[in-house]
């Protein structure tokens, strides 16, 4: 009789309903993979195998197979929530015992390890204290220590200096004066030689005036200027006169650097022998806005991460296309001025006729800072890109390469599993790299519960590697992989198995009625 077939049908339908119910129950479980019961028919052993009248004796459960299809990905607000988009499993360690999971809901424990809700450690490539991946595989531990500061080594200033600007009103140029009479005759060498020392130059420059009798002082002045412009003093010394015959030898530089000394045989005829003049003003001062043309500043950092303000002061000189540059740190005394002697040694920059910076494009600065400990701060000031156009002064770009210490402010995980710590000082540090594992036969894995699987002979050994390598999927941060259960399909399957259960129960009922009929024949 067919009781056995009906009973087996009830059994497998019940088992299928168990699998369906388990799928429905875990439709909201992150990383869950749905299961499906697979059946096979059963035949009794018989010597007359292959008989055309052989009837099976029912069905049995062949296996309950998990479906490792991709689940939908849902975003979250936790950077350590990780979703695998593609193949692979997270490697989880329980004191060295490795299991595998698709549930990427992670957080950190009190020791800095990345763990799941069961306290298992996420594994991958570990990083050293400097943020360099070591190549060693182990439990990933985040480094929460502060990011080290870095002293400024280069500060960039890209500005436009107004070519129309005048020399600062607080500064004056040194002037040596003399007199000449009309129809002055300048004889041949050495009577026609002037010696001029300007702006602290170590040696005098000889200026040879063309021998001639000059009808008026203006002609003589033009001849002297022509002679000056044929020497290294071109642009640095200006010769002028007034209606009374007064001749002026003026330095093109202003401020305390400005000085002129005139000598030579020709100086006697001009009443200039051995005369020295120095500008009488106090020169550049950071506290006097009338002593400089333009200024700008930016924050720089010492080796301890302390912030300081460096200021640059641009001083338009009387010499065409030439500017002096002074610096100051935290409003302190400019290092370009010797406090003992008062000698000024600013950096002098020049531009060509098109307003393009010539030389120098950079210069070194050095400061000594006392903040409980003496800290030197030496770096290069870069002026590349600075221009001198007929436009208002403006700052185009300020930048520098130093930074202060930083606190960990957030984490990001890239598609290849690299975990990066982001710090409050704008720096970042690699803290490890998540690795995934793949298997030749994922269905051979043993379910452990808690969204975990274990390797078996049937699954084959793990093949660990970085996300995105080979057949492995990539990692998406601040996201989780939803269960791949399709509730609509499962409800339809539930109805189907319910019908199958009812049909098998009916077959048993029918067999019972047939048997009862046979019993009643007596």
């Amino acid at each position: 009789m067919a009781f056995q077939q009906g009973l087996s049908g009830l059994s497998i339908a019940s088992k299928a309903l168990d699998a369906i119910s388990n799928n429905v129950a875990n439709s909201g479980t992150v990383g869950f993979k749905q299961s499906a019961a697979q059946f096979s028919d059963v035949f009794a052993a018989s010597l007359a195998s292959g008989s055309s009248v052989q009837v099976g004796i029912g069905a049995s459960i062949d296996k309950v197979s998990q479906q490792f299809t991709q689940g939908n990905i849902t975003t979250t607000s936790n950077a350590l929530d990780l979703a695998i988009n593609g193949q692979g499993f997270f490697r989880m360690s329980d004191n060295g015992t490795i299991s595998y999971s698709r549930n990427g809901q992670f957080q950190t424990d009190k020791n800095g390890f990345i763990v799941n809700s069961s306290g298992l450690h996420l594994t991958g490539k570990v990083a050293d204290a400097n943020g360099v991946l070591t190549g060693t595989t182990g439990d990933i531990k985040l480094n929460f220590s502060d990011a080290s500061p870095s002293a400024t080594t280069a500060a960039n200033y890209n500005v436009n200096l107004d070519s129309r600007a005048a020399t600062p009103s607080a500064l004056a140029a040194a002037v040596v004066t003399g007199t000449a009479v009309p129809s002055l005759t300048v004889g041949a060498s050495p009577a026609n030689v002037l010696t001029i020392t300007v702006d602290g130059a170590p040696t005098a420059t000889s200026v040879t005036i063309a021998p001639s009798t000059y009808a008026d002082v203006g002609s003589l002045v033009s001849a002297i200027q022509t002679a000056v412009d044929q020497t290294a003093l071109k642009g640095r010394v200006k010769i002028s006169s007034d209606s009374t015959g007064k001749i002026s030898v003026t330095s093109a530089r202003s401020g305390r650097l400005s000085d002129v000394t005139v000598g030579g045989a020709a100086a006697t005829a001009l009443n200039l022998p051995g005369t020295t003049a120095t500008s009488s003003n106090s020169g550049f001062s950071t506290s006097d806005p009338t002593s400089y043309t333009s200024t700008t500043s930016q924050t720089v950092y010492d080796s301890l991460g302390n912030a300081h303000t460096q200021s640059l002061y641009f001083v338009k000189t009387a010499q065409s296309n030439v500017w002096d540059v002074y610096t100051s740190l935290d409003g302190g005394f400019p290092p370009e001025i010797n406090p003992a002697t008062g000698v000024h040694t600013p950096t002098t920059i020049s531009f060509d006729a098109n307003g393009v910076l010539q030389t120098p494009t950079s210069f070194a600065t050095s400061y000594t800072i006392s903040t409980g400990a003496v800290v030197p701060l030496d770096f290069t000031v870069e002026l590349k890109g600075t221009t001198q156009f007929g436009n208002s002064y403006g700052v185009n770009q300020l930048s520098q390469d130093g930074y202060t210490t930083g606190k960990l402010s957030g984490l990001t995980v890239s598609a290849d599993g690299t975990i990066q710590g982001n710090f409050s000082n704008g720096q970042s540090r690699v803290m490890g790299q998540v690795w995934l594992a793949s298997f030749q036969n994922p269905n051979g894995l043993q379910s452990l519960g808690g969204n975990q699987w274990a390797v078996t002979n049937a699954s084959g050994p793990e093949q660990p590697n970085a996300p995105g390598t080979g057949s492995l999927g990539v990692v998406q941060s601040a996201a989780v992989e939803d269960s791949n259960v399709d509730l609509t399909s499962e409800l339809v399957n539930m109805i189907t198995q319910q019908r199958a259960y009812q049909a098998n129960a009916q077959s048993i009922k029918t067999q019972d009625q047939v048997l009862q009929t046979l019993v009643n024949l007596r």
Side-chain angles (χ1 to χ4, degrees), residues 176-205:
V176 170
T177 60
T179 57
V181 295
S183 301
L184 178 67
T185 298
V186 177
S189 180
N192 63 341
V193 176
L194 282 175
T195 60
I196 302 177
T197 305
V198 64
D199 303 334
T203 58
T205 299

PDB file of all heavy atoms in Angstrom, residues 176-205:
ATOM      1  N   VAL A 176      72.977 113.331  -2.616  1.00  0.00           N
ATOM      2  CA  VAL A 176      74.176 114.168  -2.513  1.00  0.00           C
ATOM      3  C   VAL A 176      74.000 115.325  -3.503  1.00  0.00           C
ATOM      4  O   VAL A 176      73.652 115.096  -4.667  1.00  0.00           O
ATOM      5  CB  VAL A 176      75.452 113.377  -2.833  1.00  0.00           C
ATOM      6  CG1 VAL A 176      76.645 114.315  -2.972  1.00  0.00           C
ATOM      7  CG2 VAL A 176      75.717 112.350  -1.744  1.00  0.00           C
ATOM      8  N   THR A 177      74.220 116.565  -3.063  1.00  0.00           N
ATOM      9  CA  THR A 177      74.003 117.718  -3.937  1.00  0.00           C
ATOM     10  C   THR A 177      75.291 118.511  -4.129  1.00  0.00           C
ATOM     11  O   THR A 177      76.186 118.523  -3.284  1.00  0.00           O
ATOM     12  CB  THR A 177      72.919 118.645  -3.359  1.00  0.00           C
ATOM     13  OG1 THR A 177      73.334 119.109  -2.078  1.00  0.00           O
ATOM     14  CG2 THR A 177      71.585 117.912  -3.243  1.00  0.00           C
ATOM     15  N   GLY A 178      75.336 119.166  -5.259  1.00  0.00           N
ATOM     16  CA  GLY A 178      76.452 120.049  -5.585  1.00  0.00           C
ATOM     17  C   GLY A 178      75.959 121.135  -6.516  1.00  0.00           C
ATOM     18  O   GLY A 178      74.758 121.251  -6.759  1.00  0.00           O
ATOM     19  N   THR A 179      76.870 121.921  -7.093  1.00  0.00           N
ATOM     20  CA  THR A 179      76.482 122.978  -8.017  1.00  0.00           C
ATOM     21  C   THR A 179      77.431 122.982  -9.205  1.00  0.00           C
ATOM     22  O   THR A 179      78.569 122.522  -9.112  1.00  0.00           O
ATOM     23  CB  THR A 179      76.532 124.363  -7.337  1.00  0.00           C
ATOM     24  OG1 THR A 179      77.843 124.575  -6.817  1.00  0.00           O
ATOM     25  CG2 THR A 179      75.506 124.446  -6.223  1.00  0.00           C
ATOM     26  N   ALA A 180      76.925 123.509 -10.292  1.00  0.00           N
ATOM     27  CA  ALA A 180      77.740 123.656 -11.498  1.00  0.00           C
ATOM     28  C   ALA A 180      77.352 124.964 -12.165  1.00  0.00           C
ATOM     29  O   ALA A 180      76.247 125.477 -11.985  1.00  0.00           O
ATOM     30  CB  ALA A 180      77.515 122.476 -12.437  1.00  0.00           C
ATOM     31  N   VAL A 181      78.285 125.494 -12.954  1.00  0.00           N
ATOM     32  CA  VAL A 181      78.023 126.761 -13.649  1.00  0.00           C
ATOM     33  C   VAL A 181      77.886 126.477 -15.133  1.00  0.00           C
ATOM     34  O   VAL A 181      78.388 125.461 -15.638  1.00  0.00           O
ATOM     35  CB  VAL A 181      79.185 127.750 -13.414  1.00  0.00           C
ATOM     36  CG1 VAL A 181      79.265 128.113 -11.941  1.00  0.00           C
ATOM     37  CG2 VAL A 181      80.509 127.179 -13.888  1.00  0.00           C
ATOM     38  N   PRO A 182      77.185 127.348 -15.851  1.00  0.00           N
ATOM     39  CA  PRO A 182      77.067 127.146 -17.308  1.00  0.00           C
ATOM     40  C   PRO A 182      78.443 127.194 -17.974  1.00  0.00           C
ATOM     41  O   PRO A 182      79.398 127.779 -17.454  1.00  0.00           O
ATOM     42  CB  PRO A 182      76.182 128.312 -17.755  1.00  0.00           C
ATOM     43  CG  PRO A 182      75.438 128.713 -16.522  1.00  0.00           C
ATOM     44  CD  PRO A 182      76.392 128.482 -15.393  1.00  0.00           C
ATOM     45  N   SER A 183      78.523 126.592 -19.167  1.00  0.00           N
ATOM     46  CA  SER A 183      79.754 126.532 -19.959  1.00  0.00           C
ATOM     47  C   SER A 183      80.880 125.865 -19.179  1.00  0.00           C
ATOM     48  O   SER A 183      82.060 126.257 -19.297  1.00  0.00           O
ATOM     49  CB  SER A 183      80.177 127.948 -20.412  1.00  0.00           C
ATOM     50  OG  SER A 183      79.153 128.541 -21.187  1.00  0.00           O
ATOM     51  N   LEU A 184      80.511 124.827 -18.388  1.00  0.00           N
ATOM     52  CA  LEU A 184      81.519 124.086 -17.632  1.00  0.00           C
ATOM     53  C   LEU A 184      82.243 123.135 -18.566  1.00  0.00           C
ATOM     54  O   LEU A 184      81.629 122.399 -19.338  1.00  0.00           O
ATOM     55  CB  LEU A 184      80.854 123.301 -16.491  1.00  0.00           C
ATOM     56  CG  LEU A 184      81.795 122.436 -15.652  1.00  0.00           C
ATOM     57  CD1 LEU A 184      82.763 123.318 -14.861  1.00  0.00           C
ATOM     58  CD2 LEU A 184      80.992 121.550 -14.697  1.00  0.00           C
ATOM     59  N   THR A 185      83.561 123.186 -18.503  1.00  0.00           N
ATOM     60  CA  THR A 185      84.359 122.305 -19.356  1.00  0.00           C
ATOM     61  C   THR A 185      84.814 121.103 -18.550  1.00  0.00           C
ATOM     62  O   THR A 185      85.375 121.241 -17.460  1.00  0.00           O
ATOM     63  CB  THR A 185      85.589 123.028 -19.906  1.00  0.00           C
ATOM     64  OG1 THR A 185      85.154 124.121 -20.723  1.00  0.00           O
ATOM     65  CG2 THR A 185      86.451 122.079 -20.729  1.00  0.00           C
ATOM     66  N   VAL A 186      84.514 119.902 -19.091  1.00  0.00           N
ATOM     67  CA  VAL A 186      84.960 118.651 -18.481  1.00  0.00           C
ATOM     68  C   VAL A 186      86.107 118.129 -19.315  1.00  0.00           C
ATOM     69  O   VAL A 186      85.951 117.843 -20.515  1.00  0.00           O
ATOM     70  CB  VAL A 186      83.821 117.613 -18.416  1.00  0.00           C
ATOM     71  CG1 VAL A 186      84.338 116.294 -17.849  1.00  0.00           C
ATOM     72  CG2 VAL A 186      82.664 118.137 -17.586  1.00  0.00           C
ATOM     73  N   GLY A 187      87.274 118.033 -18.700  1.00  0.00           N
ATOM     74  CA  GLY A 187      88.452 117.623 -19.426  1.00  0.00           C
ATOM     75  C   GLY A 187      88.566 116.118 -19.577  1.00  0.00           C
ATOM     76  O   GLY A 187      87.683 115.348 -19.174  1.00  0.00           O
ATOM     77  N   ALA A 188      89.693 115.711 -20.136  1.00  0.00           N
ATOM     78  CA  ALA A 188      89.938 114.281 -20.345  1.00  0.00           C
ATOM     79  C   ALA A 188      90.323 113.624 -19.030  1.00  0.00           C
ATOM     80  O   ALA A 188      90.562 114.287 -18.015  1.00  0.00           O
ATOM     81  CB  ALA A 188      91.037 114.094 -21.384  1.00  0.00           C
ATOM     82  N   SER A 189      90.355 112.283 -19.046  1.00  0.00           N
ATOM     83  CA  SER A 189      90.688 111.492 -17.859  1.00  0.00           C
ATOM     84  C   SER A 189      92.021 111.945 -17.274  1.00  0.00           C
ATOM     85  O   SER A 189      92.966 112.253 -18.030  1.00  0.00           O
ATOM     86  CB  SER A 189      90.776 110.022 -18.238  1.00  0.00           C
ATOM     87  OG  SER A 189      91.095 109.242 -17.123  1.00  0.00           O
ATOM     88  N   PRO A 190      92.138 112.040 -15.970  1.00  0.00           N
ATOM     89  CA  PRO A 190      91.153 111.607 -14.966  1.00  0.00           C
ATOM     90  C   PRO A 190      90.168 112.697 -14.540  1.00  0.00           C
ATOM     91  O   PRO A 190      89.371 112.491 -13.646  1.00  0.00           O
ATOM     92  CB  PRO A 190      92.020 111.210 -13.786  1.00  0.00           C
ATOM     93  CG  PRO A 190      93.166 112.170 -13.862  1.00  0.00           C
ATOM     94  CD  PRO A 190      93.425 112.394 -15.329  1.00  0.00           C
ATOM     95  N   ALA A 191      90.224 113.875 -15.221  1.00  0.00           N
ATOM     96  CA  ALA A 191      89.380 114.981 -14.799  1.00  0.00           C
ATOM     97  C   ALA A 191      87.896 114.707 -15.025  1.00  0.00           C
ATOM     98  O   ALA A 191      87.047 115.396 -14.447  1.00  0.00           O
ATOM     99  CB  ALA A 191      89.801 116.263 -15.547  1.00  0.00           C
ATOM    100  N   ASN A 192      87.577 113.732 -15.878  1.00  0.00           N
ATOM    101  CA  ASN A 192      86.170 113.450 -16.200  1.00  0.00           C
ATOM    102  C   ASN A 192      85.606 112.225 -15.469  1.00  0.00           C
ATOM    103  O   ASN A 192      84.578 111.678 -15.840  1.00  0.00           O
ATOM    104  CB  ASN A 192      85.996 113.255 -17.700  1.00  0.00           C
ATOM    105  CG  ASN A 192      86.767 112.053 -18.202  1.00  0.00           C
ATOM    106  OD1 ASN A 192      87.694 111.574 -17.548  1.00  0.00           O
ATOM    107  ND2 ASN A 192      86.392 111.553 -19.376  1.00  0.00           N
ATOM    108  N   VAL A 193      86.270 111.773 -14.399  1.00  0.00           N
ATOM    109  CA  VAL A 193      85.858 110.548 -13.703  1.00  0.00           C
ATOM    110  C   VAL A 193      85.209 110.882 -12.361  1.00  0.00           C
ATOM    111  O   VAL A 193      85.806 111.603 -11.543  1.00  0.00           O
ATOM    112  CB  VAL A 193      87.053 109.606 -13.482  1.00  0.00           C
ATOM    113  CG1 VAL A 193      86.628 108.383 -12.661  1.00  0.00           C
ATOM    114  CG2 VAL A 193      87.641 109.173 -14.816  1.00  0.00           C
ATOM    115  N   LEU A 194      83.980 110.343 -12.177  1.00  0.00           N
ATOM    116  CA  LEU A 194      83.306 110.369 -10.885  1.00  0.00           C
ATOM    117  C   LEU A 194      83.380 108.967 -10.292  1.00  0.00           C
ATOM    118  O   LEU A 194      83.314 107.966 -11.009  1.00  0.00           O
ATOM    119  CB  LEU A 194      81.819 110.736 -11.041  1.00  0.00           C
ATOM    120  CG  LEU A 194      81.423 112.198 -11.265  1.00  0.00           C
ATOM    121  CD1 LEU A 194      79.911 112.265 -11.501  1.00  0.00           C
ATOM    122  CD2 LEU A 194      81.796 113.047 -10.055  1.00  0.00           C
ATOM    123  N   THR A 195      83.491 108.878  -8.964  1.00  0.00           N
ATOM    124  CA  THR A 195      83.352 107.589  -8.287  1.00  0.00           C
ATOM    125  C   THR A 195      82.109 107.656  -7.412  1.00  0.00           C
ATOM    126  O   THR A 195      81.954 108.588  -6.618  1.00  0.00           O
ATOM    127  CB  THR A 195      84.580 107.259  -7.436  1.00  0.00           C
ATOM    128  OG1 THR A 195      84.757 108.274  -6.456  1.00  0.00           O
ATOM    129  CG2 THR A 195      85.825 107.132  -8.303  1.00  0.00           C
ATOM    130  N   ILE A 196      81.227 106.660  -7.585  1.00  0.00           N
ATOM    131  CA  ILE A 196      79.951 106.657  -6.846  1.00  0.00           C
ATOM    132  C   ILE A 196      79.798 105.322  -6.128  1.00  0.00           C
ATOM    133  O   ILE A 196      79.908 104.251  -6.738  1.00  0.00           O
ATOM    134  CB  ILE A 196      78.748 106.880  -7.781  1.00  0.00           C
ATOM    135  CG1 ILE A 196      78.896 108.216  -8.533  1.00  0.00           C
ATOM    136  CG2 ILE A 196      77.438 106.848  -7.004  1.00  0.00           C
ATOM    137  CD1 ILE A 196      77.779 108.479  -9.534  1.00  0.00           C
ATOM    138  N   THR A 197      79.563 105.420  -4.843  1.00  0.00           N
ATOM    139  CA  THR A 197      79.241 104.235  -4.030  1.00  0.00           C
ATOM    140  C   THR A 197      77.796 104.383  -3.569  1.00  0.00           C
ATOM    141  O   THR A 197      77.438 105.415  -3.004  1.00  0.00           O
ATOM    142  CB  THR A 197      80.165 104.122  -2.815  1.00  0.00           C
ATOM    143  OG1 THR A 197      81.521 104.133  -3.251  1.00  0.00           O
ATOM    144  CG2 THR A 197      79.881 102.827  -2.056  1.00  0.00           C
ATOM    145  N   VAL A 198      76.979 103.378  -3.810  1.00  0.00           N
ATOM    146  CA  VAL A 198      75.566 103.520  -3.514  1.00  0.00           C
ATOM    147  C   VAL A 198      75.057 102.319  -2.723  1.00  0.00           C
ATOM    148  O   VAL A 198      75.445 101.177  -2.969  1.00  0.00           O
ATOM    149  CB  VAL A 198      74.741 103.702  -4.817  1.00  0.00           C
ATOM    150  CG1 VAL A 198      74.833 102.481  -5.700  1.00  0.00           C
ATOM    151  CG2 VAL A 198      73.283 104.026  -4.509  1.00  0.00           C
ATOM    152  N   ASP A 199      74.212 102.589  -1.741  1.00  0.00           N
ATOM    153  CA  ASP A 199      73.454 101.579  -0.992  1.00  0.00           C
ATOM    154  C   ASP A 199      74.330 100.483  -0.398  1.00  0.00           C
ATOM    155  O   ASP A 199      74.053  99.293  -0.491  1.00  0.00           O
ATOM    156  CB  ASP A 199      72.377 100.941  -1.883  1.00  0.00           C
ATOM    157  CG  ASP A 199      71.426 101.978  -2.469  1.00  0.00           C
ATOM    158  OD1 ASP A 199      71.291 103.039  -1.838  1.00  0.00           O
ATOM    159  OD2 ASP A 199      70.838 101.723  -3.526  1.00  0.00           O
ATOM    160  N   GLY A 200      75.408 100.908   0.224  1.00  0.00           N
ATOM    161  CA  GLY A 200      76.230  99.963   0.959  1.00  0.00           C
ATOM    162  C   GLY A 200      77.097  99.063   0.108  1.00  0.00           C
ATOM    163  O   GLY A 200      77.606  98.057   0.596  1.00  0.00           O
ATOM    164  N   ALA A 201      77.278  99.399  -1.180  1.00  0.00           N
ATOM    165  CA  ALA A 201      78.133  98.572  -2.040  1.00  0.00           C
ATOM    166  C   ALA A 201      79.556  98.583  -1.490  1.00  0.00           C
ATOM    167  O   ALA A 201      80.031  99.601  -0.984  1.00  0.00           O
ATOM    168  CB  ALA A 201      78.110  99.101  -3.467  1.00  0.00           C
ATOM    169  N   PRO A 202      80.255  97.437  -1.562  1.00  0.00           N
ATOM    170  CA  PRO A 202      81.597  97.372  -0.973  1.00  0.00           C
ATOM    171  C   PRO A 202      82.644  98.182  -1.726  1.00  0.00           C
ATOM    172  O   PRO A 202      83.666  98.565  -1.149  1.00  0.00           O
ATOM    173  CB  PRO A 202      81.918  95.872  -1.032  1.00  0.00           C
ATOM    174  CG  PRO A 202      81.065  95.342  -2.140  1.00  0.00           C
ATOM    175  CD  PRO A 202      79.811  96.156  -2.117  1.00  0.00           C
ATOM    176  N   THR A 203      82.439  98.439  -3.007  1.00  0.00           N
ATOM    177  CA  THR A 203      83.416  99.205  -3.786  1.00  0.00           C
ATOM    178  C   THR A 203      82.704 100.278  -4.579  1.00  0.00           C
ATOM    179  O   THR A 203      81.505 100.176  -4.875  1.00  0.00           O
ATOM    180  CB  THR A 203      84.194  98.290  -4.770  1.00  0.00           C
ATOM    181  OG1 THR A 203      83.255  97.642  -5.636  1.00  0.00           O
ATOM    182  CG2 THR A 203      85.000  97.249  -4.020  1.00  0.00           C
ATOM    183  N   ALA A 204      83.458 101.317  -4.952  1.00  0.00           N
ATOM    184  CA  ALA A 204      82.904 102.410  -5.739  1.00  0.00           C
ATOM    185  C   ALA A 204      82.896 102.030  -7.212  1.00  0.00           C
ATOM    186  O   ALA A 204      83.691 101.208  -7.683  1.00  0.00           O
ATOM    187  CB  ALA A 204      83.722 103.674  -5.533  1.00  0.00           C
ATOM    188  N   THR A 205      81.989 102.632  -7.950  1.00  0.00           N
ATOM    189  CA  THR A 205      81.894 102.442  -9.398  1.00  0.00           C
ATOM    190  C   THR A 205      82.385 103.709 -10.084  1.00  0.00           C
ATOM    191  O   THR A 205      81.976 104.821  -9.741  1.00  0.00           O
ATOM    192  CB  THR A 205      80.439 102.151  -9.816  1.00  0.00           C
ATOM    193  OG1 THR A 205      80.003 100.955  -9.175  1.00  0.00           O
ATOM    194  CG2 THR A 205      80.330 101.985 -11.327  1.00  0.00           C
TER     195      THR A 205
END
